[in-house]
Amino acid sequence: MKSKARKPPPAGASQQLDDTLTALFQFAPDAMLLVDAGGGIVRLSAHAEAMFGYTLDELADKKIEVLIPARFRPQHVKHRAHYAKEPHRRVMGAGLELAARRKDGTEFPVDIMLSPLETPGGRCVITTVRDITERKLAEQLLKEAHAELEDRVRARTSELAEANETLRRDAAQHRAIIDAQREIARHDQDVTISMTMVARRTQELTRASGVAIDLIEKDELVMRVATGMAAGQGHTPAQNMLRV
């Protein structure tokens, strides 16, 4: 079966395509470039000129890689060759961080859309470039705000846990004091038993190594009660010993 020869474009088709591209490049909200099958830059919009700092005359006969940071160029050439084999409309570098390079050498993050286009001179690719610097900045600020919020939540959670633990200890101590008061009240008729209980409970509540209590009346020692280390040291002052 003989293959059909491609029919030449109708008269005026080239001019019609040129007019369409001119209108498209003039009114498109994003920067646009027309790139031939070999990666050469054929046309660029005014928005693209402003974005990259080049004029079309400066980019004539230049490869698209001139607008890409040098470290990415070898890989981009491979991607371009692969795309030329199976051209289709797609977002370039989906899921990747893409960067472009201005004439002055500065770099900026971009989103890129590729769209194949058949022209009388052969297949080309319309490359749409969007500067996403502001979006990236907003994402970074949002990320930092989220991280700061998480830090505050963790700090607040820790504070609440510490406050709850303090309340729990205070409540336990208050219960112990009330229990001690009730126990002492049951023996309020016996001074020796009451003072001994007071000394023991005081040692428990204060976690002292010993407690000594002197009952003095008119500068005279009436009774002395001691617990723990205080009882074993004859009331000699010692570290962590409470004397009342």
Side-chain angles (χ1 to χ4, degrees):
M1 183 177 180
K2 295 182 180 180
S3 59
K4 296 181 179 179
R6 176 179 296 180
K7 294 181 180 180
S14 179
Q15 183 60 46
Q16 183 179 0
L17 175 62
D18 187 71
D19 292 343
T20 300
L21 288 176
T22 298
L24 177 64
F25 277 38
Q26 180 179 356
F27 297 108
D30 297 312
M32 301 185 73
L33 301 94
L34 185 63
V35 182
D36 62 26
I41 299 173
V42 178
R43 181 193 295 252
L44 69 159
S45 65
H47 194 167
E49 289 183 347
M51 177 182 290
F52 291 101
Y54 287 102
T55 64
L56 178 57
D57 289 340
E58 291 175 306
L59 293 177
D61 301 324
K62 298 259 189 334
K63 298 292 185 182
I64 188 68
E65 281 76 26
V66 73
L67 303 179
I68 298 173
R71 62 186 181 280
F72 298 137
R73 291 173 187 173
Q75 191 65 26
H76 184 268
V77 172
K78 295 179 182 179
H79 289 320
R80 178 162 56 78
H82 178 74
Y83 180 81
K85 295 178 181 179
E86 298 180 4
H88 57 283
R89 187 176 185 275
R90 71 177 180 87
V91 176
M92 181 179 176
L96 301 177
E97 297 290 333
L98 300 180
R101 181 182 182 276
R102 299 185 181 93
K103 181 180 178 180
D104 62 9
T106 57
E107 298 179 11
F108 57 102
V110 293
D111 278 343
I112 298 177
M113 172 69 74
L114 304 178
S115 302
L117 176 69
E118 294 294 341
T119 72
R123 178 177 293 163
C124 291
V125 176
I126 296 178
T127 303
T128 305
V129 184
R130 177 173 296 177
D131 184 346
I132 58 172
T133 299
E134 292 185 0
R135 191 185 81 192
K136 286 293 185 181
L137 178 59
E139 290 175 352
Q140 181 61 31
L141 292 176
L142 181 61
K143 182 179 179 180
E144 292 175 358
H146 183 69
E148 182 180 355
L149 179 60
E150 286 186 336
D151 289 341
R152 289 183 178 181
V153 170
R154 282 193 293 268
R156 185 56 179 163
T157 300
S158 178
E159 291 173 359
L160 290 174
E162 184 177 348
N164 287 337
E165 179 60 21
T166 299
L167 290 174
R168 188 194 64 78
R169 290 195 301 266
D170 289 347
Q173 188 175 31
H174 291 161
R175 286 194 298 270
I177 292 173
I178 293 173
D179 291 343
Q181 291 173 337
R182 289 174 177 173
E183 185 177 359
I184 292 170
R186 289 197 297 269
H187 302 281
D188 60 352
Q189 300 301 318
D190 191 320
V191 177
T192 302
I193 294 176
S194 296
M195 289 184 62
T196 301
M197 293 178 60
V198 169
R200 178 166 54 81
R201 286 294 190 176
T202 301
Q203 181 181 354
E204 292 174 355
L205 294 173
T206 60
R207 298 182 180 179
S209 59
V211 173
I213 299 178
D214 290 342
L215 179 60
I216 299 175
E217 186 176 348
K218 295 182 180 181
D219 297 330
E220 294 185 6
L221 179 64
V222 177
M223 182 179 295
R224 175 173 290 167
V225 177
T227 62
M229 291 182 62
Q233 297 181 6
H235 310 332
T236 301
Q239 185 178 9
N240 197 30
M241 188 181 76
L242 181 64
R243 189 178 183 88
V244 181

